[in-house]
Amino acid sequence: LGVPFFYGTILRWPVPEYKLERLADLEPRSLLDEAGMRWINESTTVDLELVMPRDPTACFAAMEFALGSLALHSDPSQPPGPLDTRARQAVAELRCRGDLQALWRAAQASGAELKELAKEICQIPAPSFQEGTRGDWAARYLSEATGATVDSDSAGNRSVTLHGRHGKGPRILVCAHLDTVFPPGTDCTVRQVQEHLIGPGIGDNASGLAVLLLSARLLAQAGLPFRGELILAADVGEEGLGDLRGVR
């Protein structure tokens, strides 16, 4: 999806007829700095090994894109259409907005917290069809971080809806999957070797889920500075035989 650190999908809801607005439609370089790109290009064992980029804000590209999408679709002068041609401009404008500077500073200072969060998530086993324990943990985090009600559906997805303080607008979904490819009984202990975190599923998808959860906390701390609704979902059954059942 352009940034292995965040395995998720971004959709506008209801889905417009013209196109699904996915981060995969974008050129990764448009959302990441050079340090982030080098990290991605050198991460060939993302399931088992994670190296944090020097600038943690590179990890939040998906959330930047979601906020940019909300901003674009909240402007009635903007006609519907693919976001990929306007994403660079939207993200650049977000970076310069005075009311978002505290949010960007908090994201930039979040490296150690993000690493510990990914480590803690990874050590909660979550094979496909057995994501319950990790899902409950994620739900508790979301509840404590946002103060909002966390929903759980029949599939086992956990989600929270954040209402922007600037009033009504579009609805955007950002999700990161709970499950891993590793079977029951796998030792999920995470160890650190210099700058590397090593453990089963640390990259896919403990790190992506960590970004989603920490984004919820940072956005709530910043007072939800957007228009519309942002739905953050931890979905089940992405891997293998799970066949994307959570997002379906």
Side-chain angles (χ1 to χ4, degrees), residues 224-247:
L224 306 180
F226 55 87
R227 184 186 302 276
E229 297 179 9
L230 184 61
I231 304 172
L232 304 181
D235 58 291
V236 300
E238 191 270 353
E239 302 285 6
L241 294 177
D243 195 27
L244 299 173
R245 67 188 181 90
V247 293

Side-chain angles (χ1 to χ4, degrees), residues 18-19 21 26 65 69 72-73 81-88:
Y18 58 85
K19 186 176 181 181
E21 294 161 355
L26 303 180
F65 182 78
S69 177
L72 287 170
H73 284 293
L83 289 183
D84 50 350
T85 57
R86 295 178 286 157
R88 296 187 190 191

Side-chain angles (χ1 to χ4, degrees), residues 15-171:
V15 177
E17 294 181 1
Y18 58 85
K19 186 176 181 181
L20 292 181
E21 294 161 355
R22 300 186 307 128
L23 192 62
D25 295 328
L26 303 180
E27 178 187 357
R29 192 174 298 276
S30 68
L31 292 176
L32 295 175
D33 60 15
E34 291 299 319
M37 285 304 299
R38 283 199 301 274
W39 168 71
I40 287 171
N41 292 337
E42 294 169 2
S43 293
T44 56
T45 55
V46 70
D47 274 7
L48 295 171
E49 183 174 334
L50 176 69
V51 184
M52 285 286 294
R54 291 182 179 179
D55 181 0
T57 57
C59 305
F60 292 91
M63 199 57 60
E64 283 188 321
F65 182 78
L67 293 178
S69 177
L70 284 168
L72 287 170
H73 284 293
S74 295
D75 184 351
S77 67
Q78 294 281 352
L83 289 183
D84 50 350
T85 57
R86 295 178 286 157
R88 296 187 190 191
Q89 171 92 18
V91 172
E93 291 176 358
L94 286 173
R95 287 282 189 170
C96 296
R97 270 178 47 180
D99 63 324
L100 293 180
Q101 293 312 300
L103 175 62
W104 302 141
R105 287 194 298 270
Q108 193 164 22
S110 69
E113 182 180 359
L114 196 55
K115 181 184 290 187
E116 288 304 310
L117 192 56
K119 180 178 178 180
E120 187 168 1
I121 292 169
C122 186
Q123 294 182 138
I124 304 172
S128 298
F129 304 102
Q130 299 182 35
E131 304 98 336
T133 301
R134 184 178 288 187
D136 290 343
W137 187 94
R140 286 193 298 273
Y141 184 100
L142 284 171
S143 177
E144 293 172 3
T146 67
T149 299
V150 178
D151 297 315
S152 179
D153 61 22
S154 59
N157 301 311
R158 274 68 166 185
S159 64
V160 64
T161 300
L162 304 180
H163 300 274
R165 70 170 184 246
H166 298 309
K168 294 183 178 180
R171 183 181 300 165

